[in-house]
Amino acid sequence: MFKELLKLERFPTIWCPGCGIGQIMIQLAMVMDELGLDHTNCTVISGIGCTGRLAGYMNMDSVYTLHGRTLPVAEAVKLVNPSLKVIVVSGDGDLASIGGNHLLHAVRRNPDLTVLCNNNQVYGLTGGHAGPTTPRDTRTVSSPAGSPYDPVNLQNLMKAGAKYFYAKTTVYHQVHLRHCIKEAIAWPGFAFVDITSQCIENHGRRLGFNSAYEMLLHFRKTYKRAPDGAEILGPDEIGIVRKG
Amino acid sequence: MKRLVEGNEAVFLGALKAGATFFAGYPITPSSEILALAAEHAARDHGFKFIQSEDEIAAANAIIGASLAGAKSFTATSGPGFSLVQEAIGYAHQAEVPTVFVNVQRVGPATGMPTMPAQQDILQTKYGSSGDYYPLVFYPNSVEECYRYAITAFNAAEESMSPVILLSDAFIGHLNEVVDLDAIEVKVVPRSRPPLGTGKRSFSGLAHDEEGNPRTADAEVYRKWLSKVKARHEEVAARYSDFKFKGNTSSDTLIISYGIVSRVIAPLDSEFALFRPIRIFPMLGPELQHYAQGYKKIVVIEANDGQYGCLVERELKREVIQVPLLGGRISLGLAKKGLSEKLGREVH
Ligand SMILES: Cc1ncc(C[n+]2csc(CCOP(=O)(O)OP(=O)(O)O)c2C)c(N)n1
Ligand code: SF4
């Protein structure tokens, strides 16, 4: 049962009702259950942010690292114990902004890690500040006139490596999300799953959404499956691109 | 076997003797030899893991991950690199992770004088990260001691479940001395915590209760945790109350110095009493008080502008005469000149 992989005694979680992180956690636990991953063969490592708190709800040894430092910690864990499945779960700000240098070098070194990036396009925990994935012109607490920059292109960043695995999915597309997590865990190298999700309280409402449900419907409307074997994902496509 | 060994090499060999199997670091003078030795060793012995990190922040976090995964781990850095690892040192204290940070000091701030020795990171060593914490810090002054105290640092880390700092400097790090390291007997404390992948523990930098549950708004739980950690560190520190004292009944002045400076001013023993703390932190309060008793004047000579001196003053609750040796020139002549000025008489 996937519920045995969660520390239910720590529930309710700290997350706002309707937050997308819970979905990522449930889907991850379901995949782990299916693959036989548990406290004897797996560890979850997260950074700081709302997403980072996920590690503490997993019923296995987990590490909630410093802000941005998941990858150096995870790489070292994997190097010391290669038989351990090491799964990193963190926010887009944590991985791509303060941890950006580590991401760049993880792409280069290609360690055998699975990374689930909760891409809610904002710094959720600090109250809705713009981050590296915030789309241009989006209003946030720290970009009241709209963010002046284009977001970081995570797909291209991942493809900077000679070998790569990049999956783009959303919390609305649950079957696809599960599929991506499974494929990423099976990938023998650095596998990055870019999961579009909703931060309703510190972002969605400011954008005019009334509920998390409305945000999910927006994901359904926006994102289409990329054709099988696609080598590049368009901005509104979900799918997997990889090169081994 | 007796042979010529460099200070930095002795630190590395001490780490190996202590059972270290993981090193991560980023090159910086004057600590780089330790990184190069780790790289060479990893190429020969595949049980030893090495990462040349993208920066010191990555290295500091990697040794934390390696420790949690079951390896005795360490990094070595200097100057600006030591500034970059401060956040991780705080994390290792909060998450109770045993590991070792070696800081081979050079003149700062910032890039400063990269090849010149200094002792300017004393207060940063004690207070550099955010929050209250109680670091164990050792500062050897010879090649043999570099070896001994590297081992001690790893032992104390396991016993205190915390990051221990081994201080050195550009002078000690590059000092060559003939030693027989094989003849040195030091006990090695085994790993204390089961590795990741064996339990259901949450390691984190959040304040937590005994079970590791996050308790981020409970002052009572926090105070209990902090006093427990403080007591543990004091208990471990007490096992390593290491210092050297050389009394001088014809002198009314006690000179306190440590590391490279204590080495350079050793010939002053004919004129003064000398006290050298090796365990720099927690400070050797009772020992300092005991040995300072018979002396009218207390002098602290150090290669910074009074960093340890102010703490000694606080510890002894009496005025301390400070003789700073600045700019990487650490010589007996300069020490005598400073002493002569401060004591108002010619020191020979
Ligand atoms: C060194 C440091 N700087 C800043 C912070 C404050 N901080 C906490 S979480 C966070 C951003 C979180 O955003 P993201 O990674 O996108 O995660 P989310 O909360 O959206 O899940 C920041 C800036 C911190 N904890 N540490
Ligand atoms: S602030 Fe946003 S990201 Fe954080 S828990 Fe609430 S909805 Fe989720």
Side-chain angles (χ1 to χ4, degrees), chain B:
Chain B
M1 190 189 63
K2 274 194 173 185
R3 67 177 181 94
L4 206 55
V5 181
E6 195 189 51
N8 279 342
E9 185 186 0
V11 167
F12 179 74
L13 294 173
L16 282 189
K17 179 76 181 175
T21 55
F22 186 97
F23 178 94
Y26 187 81
I28 183 164
T29 303
S31 73
S32 299
E33 291 82 9
I34 301 174
L35 177 143
L37 285 165
E40 273 174 33
H41 190 72
R44 282 193 303 269
D45 173 355
H46 296 297
F48 186 89
K49 305 295 178 191
F50 167 82
I51 301 182
Q52 182 178 327
S53 299
E54 53 273 27
D55 56 30
E56 287 88 346
I57 299 175
N61 286 278
I63 63 170
I64 288 169
S67 170
L68 291 173
K72 285 191 180 178
S73 61
F74 67 123
T75 189
T77 188
S78 302
F82 193 56
S83 300
L84 286 180
V85 303
Q86 292 304 322
E87 188 196 19
I89 288 176
Y91 179 90
H93 276 284
Q94 179 65 256
E96 301 174 46
V97 180
T99 186
V100 172
F101 288 81
V102 180
N103 176 14
V104 188
Q105 297 168 95
R106 61 189 224 183
V107 177
T111 310
M113 303 166 81
T115 61
M116 302 296 269
Q119 303 180 315
Q120 292 177 297
D121 302 340
I122 299 300
L123 289 180
Q124 192 184 15
T125 297
K126 173 92 170 114
Y127 296 115
S129 197
S130 60
D132 283 321
Y133 59 103
Y134 310 97
L136 283 122
V137 184
F138 299 94
Y139 195 163
N141 85 348
S142 69
V143 170
E144 188 196 309
E145 277 192 4
C146 282
Y147 181 78
R148 276 183 192 281
Y149 285 96
I151 300 168
T152 301
F154 278 90
N155 288 346
E158 291 300 331
E159 291 167 335
S160 65
M161 301 301 273
S162 78
V164 170
I165 295 167
L166 182 67
L167 284 179
S168 154
D169 54 69
F171 204 129
I172 299 285
H174 291 159
L175 185 65
N176 280 276
E177 291 184 294
V178 175
V179 284
D180 182 358
L181 298 182
D182 304 326
I184 299 172
E185 297 249 346
V186 201
K187 69 160 184 158
V188 168
V189 174
R191 279 272 321 173
S192 42
R193 177 189 272 151
L196 288 178
T198 57
K200 298 179 174 178
R201 302 157 296 177
S202 310
F203 296 102
S204 94
L206 292 171
H208 52 268
D209 62 19
E210 301 265 342
E211 283 78 46
N213 297 305
R215 296 295 287 271
T216 56
D218 191 328
E220 201 48 49
V221 169
Y222 180 82
R223 286 196 286 259
K224 228 174 102 191
W225 170 81
L226 194 68
S227 67
K228 190 186 82 183
V229 167
K230 187 175 182 178
R232 185 169 74 216
H233 283 219
E234 277 164 5
E235 192 193 313
V236 175
R239 291 173 212 165
Y240 305 104
S241 296
D242 297 1
F243 62 90
K244 290 277 187 283
F245 173 72
K246 215 163 177 195
N248 188 329
T249 43
S250 61
S251 173
D252 66 351
T253 305
L254 173 71
I255 297 179
I256 297 166
S257 66
Y258 50 88
I260 176 60
V261 174
S262 63
R263 189 74 188 260
V264 169
I265 67 156
L268 292 177
D269 65 346
S270 55
E271 240 185 289
F272 299 94
L274 303 178
F275 185 91
R276 166 169 80 98
I278 301 174
R279 194 194 78 205
I280 298 288
F281 295 118
M283 287 185 77
L284 295 161
E287 293 82 357
L288 274 170
Q289 266 153 28
H290 175 78
Y291 289 103
Q293 254 170 26
Y295 296 93
K296 243 170 59 195
K297 292 179 186 163
I298 306 293
V299 179
V300 175
I301 310 183
E302 53 188 334
N304 62 53
D305 200 6
Q307 295 191 19
Y308 207 60
C310 70
L311 298 180
V312 170
E313 203 160 65
R314 190 173 76 182
E315 205 62 54
L316 295 179
K317 296 183 181 62
R318 55 188 274 201
E319 199 189 332
V320 160
I321 299 164
Q322 311 221 3
V323 179
L325 304 177
L326 301 174
R329 290 268 168 245
I330 299 167
S331 70
L332 185 58
L334 282 173
K336 284 181 181 169
K337 189 163 166 269
L339 275 171
S340 303
E341 280 165 18
K342 292 285 170 79
L343 297 178
R345 66 177 171 87
E346 207 56 37
V347 173
H348 303 286

Side-chain angles (χ1 to χ4, degrees), chain A residues 4 7 9-10 39-43 45 53 55-67 69 72-82 84 98 101-103 105-106 108-109, chain B residues 21-22 49-55 57-59 61-71 87-89 91 194-206 211-214 216:
Chain A
E4 283 159 19
K7 283 194 166 133
E9 68 276 16
R10 288 192 182 173
H39 71 281
T40 63
N41 54 18
C42 184
T43 186
I45 296 178
R53 295 297 286 267
Y57 297 119
M58 300 306 295
N59 202 14
M60 56 190 61
D61 283 343
S62 69
V63 192
Y64 179 61
T65 70
L66 283 169
H67 192 23
R69 313 304 168 201
V73 172
E75 275 193 69
V77 169
K78 188 71 191 177
L79 199 57
V80 170
N81 185 355
L84 208 57
I98 191 166
N101 194 30
H102 310 312
L103 191 58
H105 289 274
R108 176 170 72 95
R109 286 193 288 259
Chain B
T21 55
F22 186 97
K49 305 295 178 191
F50 167 82
I51 301 182
Q52 182 178 327
S53 299
E54 53 273 27
D55 56 30
I57 299 175
N61 286 278
I63 63 170
I64 288 169
S67 170
L68 291 173
E87 188 196 19
I89 288 176
Y91 179 90
L196 288 178
T198 57
K200 298 179 174 178
R201 302 157 296 177
S202 310
F203 296 102
S204 94
L206 292 171
E211 283 78 46
N213 297 305
T216 56

